[in-house]
Amino acid sequence: MALSDTAVVVDVAAFWRQLGDTTLDRLVSEALRANQDVRAAEARVRGARADRLGAGLDLAPTVTAAGGFLRQRLPSAAFPGSGAGPLPDQSIWDGGFDASWELDFFGRLRHRLKASGQFADATRADLRDVQISLVAELARTYFELRGGQGLLAVARRNADNQRNTLDVTRQRLDAGRGTAFDTERAQAQLSFTLASIPAVEAAVASAQYRIAVLIGRSPGSVGAVLADSVALPELPDLAVSNADSLITARPDVAAAERRAAAERSLVGTAKADYLPRFTLGASAGFSATTFDSLGKSGTFRYAVGPAVSWPLLNLGRVKAGVDASRARADASAAEYAQTVLLAREDLENALVRYRAAKERVSRIVEAAESSRRAAELARLRFSEGVADFLQVLDAERTQLDAESQLAEGRTAAATAYASLYKALGGIGPLTPPQR
């Protein structure tokens, strides 16, 4: 539960390094360093630590220094026998120290300190959750970017093939061996393919903008870095075991558990209000009628003694506070149980989607290769005059569809891997990629 911030960063970086994509590694490191959500979560961790320190200092005596000047006139009626005339004005100079120390016999302060520590643990888990969610979104967007670039390459490659086919139909038409009908159909197919490119280019640009914001930069600042198309990395095989321990280690589950524990501790703080509160107080200093006299003989003063307070006539309010604290503890316990259930659902869904996505890719690879060979054969047969143009159109449409599905399937598998990373809480019980 007490992972340091440095350990968190190293763990996240190690998980993604196994893919062998140095660009993704650099983006992950920069996001963890510069993302504004991470910085906000780090600030909340510092605040929670300061609150815990303050709760710990409540167990020690409180000492304050005070000094002041007072100009006063006391009423003569307060001093019988002093006469009817007004008393003279007085100047009072005072300086010294006041101290108080609550003797925590019944654990009120200790319970509060324990709760502060548990809340601090929860904010550290929240920080890890923010980091994992950030990196998962960054990886998903990066994979969508690379997948979009792959889809662009497929469309442009098929457009080149279709453009060559169109040239063949025009040459056959000019030679009197073809028809205008074949040429128009070839032109229509090429136009449809070219029409699909702008939407994919827009999606690629949008992914670049999103990546820039995730790493703390302005939206248009990473276009040049990510302009070159890079293939999606090979994905590892599954080796998930002991799902219960993985779920317990998830930062959102850990944060919910710590908050539930903190609310239980605060019930102890509330119940301690039923009992007397013992305080030891002390005061020491100097008082004089002139500033120059402070510290001289006869100006020293002190007071020391215990004090006891007990809300005997306010026990109804105390009970209401205890009941409210117990209700908050019950709510936190229910939220923790719900978080565990949602984490189980998230993990099971992520595993199923990842397995299904990888299975789909393995099936499409062979189909895409077969469709490519079929399209080549159809174009060859058409150019030699042993097949009609309809076979070419059908083969090229099949090739474009198969290769597009393969690019989309690889993107879906990669984004499913990013979702699985988040569902695993950033812990990677996966075998290295099979190359």
Side-chain angles (χ1 to χ4, degrees):
M1 194 85 61
L3 278 173
S4 68
D5 298 344
T6 302
V8 170
V9 173
V10 170
D11 179 55
V12 170
F15 183 97
W16 295 102
R17 260 199 308 274
Q18 67 176 326
L19 296 182
D21 191 320
T22 56
T23 301
L24 178 59
D25 293 339
R26 289 196 301 270
L27 292 174
V28 167
S29 298
E30 188 169 353
L32 291 171
R33 182 178 63 254
N35 181 266
Q36 300 304 318
D37 290 333
V38 172
R39 290 181 174 178
E42 289 171 342
R44 287 191 289 270
V45 170
R46 294 194 298 271
R49 288 172 176 167
D51 289 340
R52 185 188 183 281
L53 177 61
L57 292 175
D58 285 342
L59 291 168
T62 299
V63 180
T64 58
F69 168 76
L70 180 66
R71 183 71 175 175
Q72 67 178 8
R73 174 186 292 178
L74 298 176
S76 59
F79 299 93
S82 62
L87 296 177
D89 293 345
Q90 287 183 310
S91 296
I92 304 295
W93 293 86
D94 186 84
F97 295 90
D98 297 319
S100 64
W101 184 18
E102 181 177 341
L103 306 176
D104 192 32
F105 291 138
F106 304 111
R108 187 181 73 89
L109 299 179
R110 290 193 299 274
H111 281 300
R112 181 179 296 171
L113 174 61
K114 185 178 180 181
S116 297
Q118 290 160 336
F119 279 128
D121 290 340
T123 59
R124 285 196 294 271
D126 286 338
L127 169 60
R128 180 173 170 80
D129 191 37
V130 169
Q131 290 174 322
I132 290 171
S133 298
L134 165 67
V135 173
E137 183 178 359
L138 174 64
R140 178 186 59 78
T141 308
Y142 178 79
F143 293 148
E144 288 175 348
L145 167 69
R146 295 311 188 194
Q149 290 173 335
L151 200 57
L152 274 177
V154 168
R156 288 167 178 166
R157 185 169 59 249
N158 277 272
D160 289 340
N161 291 334
Q162 293 166 8
R163 194 174 286 109
N164 292 334
T165 300
L166 176 61
D167 291 340
V168 171
T169 62
R170 287 172 175 169
Q171 292 170 8
R172 288 172 62 86
L173 179 63
D174 293 340
R177 296 186 295 115
T179 66
F181 183 55
D182 290 343
T183 301
E184 293 301 327
R185 285 191 299 181
Q187 180 63 64
Q189 180 159 278
L190 174 60
S191 297
F192 274 123
T193 301
L194 293 175
S196 68
I197 291 177
V200 182
E201 290 176 334
V204 168
S206 179
Q208 291 175 346
Y209 300 154
R210 183 60 186 154
I211 288 172
V213 172
L214 290 173
I215 63 176
R217 298 193 198 177
S218 60
S221 61
V222 298
V225 177
L226 299 174
D228 295 335
S229 178
V230 177
L232 286 165
E234 294 292 329
L235 300 176
D237 295 325
L238 288 172
V240 176
S241 60
N242 197 1
D244 288 341
S245 63
L246 293 174
I247 289 171
T248 303
R250 276 179 48 138
D252 55 341
V253 174
E257 188 277 329
R258 290 289 80 197
R259 287 192 172 89
E263 293 295 347
R264 290 195 300 270
S265 297
L266 290 177
V267 172
T269 299
K271 291 170 68 175
D273 286 338
Y274 278 120
L275 303 171
R277 190 177 302 180
F278 295 89
T279 304
L280 183 63
S283 177
F286 296 90
S287 294
T289 56
T290 63
F291 180 78
D292 294 340
S293 299
L294 284 176
K296 295 182 179 180
S297 176
T299 63
F300 178 72
R301 60 167 178 80
Y302 79 92
V304 62
V308 180
S309 62
W310 184 28
L312 178 62
L313 301 180
N314 292 308
L315 293 181
R317 288 189 177 88
V318 175
K319 182 180 183 302
V322 172
D323 291 343
S325 185
R326 281 175 173 162
R328 287 191 293 270
D330 291 342
S332 293
E335 290 168 359
Y336 168 64
Q338 179 69 2
T339 302
V340 172
L341 290 175
L342 292 174
R344 290 180 185 276
E345 178 189 19
D346 188 24
L347 179 56
E348 293 299 332
N349 285 336
L351 288 170
V352 169
R353 284 195 296 267
Y354 184 61
R355 291 192 184 105
K358 289 204 70 180
E359 178 72 16
R360 180 170 180 263
V361 170
S362 66
R363 299 292 178 86
I364 298 176
V365 167
E366 185 177 349
E369 181 61 25
S370 297
S371 66
R372 183 189 63 79
R373 291 194 300 267
E376 290 176 353
L377 288 172
R379 283 189 290 269
L380 179 62
R381 286 167 58 84
F382 175 70
S383 64
E384 294 177 352
V386 297
D388 60 23
F389 188 63
L390 184 60
Q391 293 181 5
V392 176
L393 289 177
D394 183 64
E396 288 186 342
R397 279 195 297 265
T398 301
Q399 179 187 9
L400 176 59
D401 181 63
E403 291 182 350
S404 297
Q405 286 194 43
L406 180 57
E408 292 169 354
R410 284 174 170 161
T411 303
T415 56
Y417 180 69
S419 297
L420 180 59
Y421 159 79
K422 184 179 179 182
L424 291 168
I427 302 173
L430 304 174
T431 60
Q434 301 299 313
R435 300 188 181 278

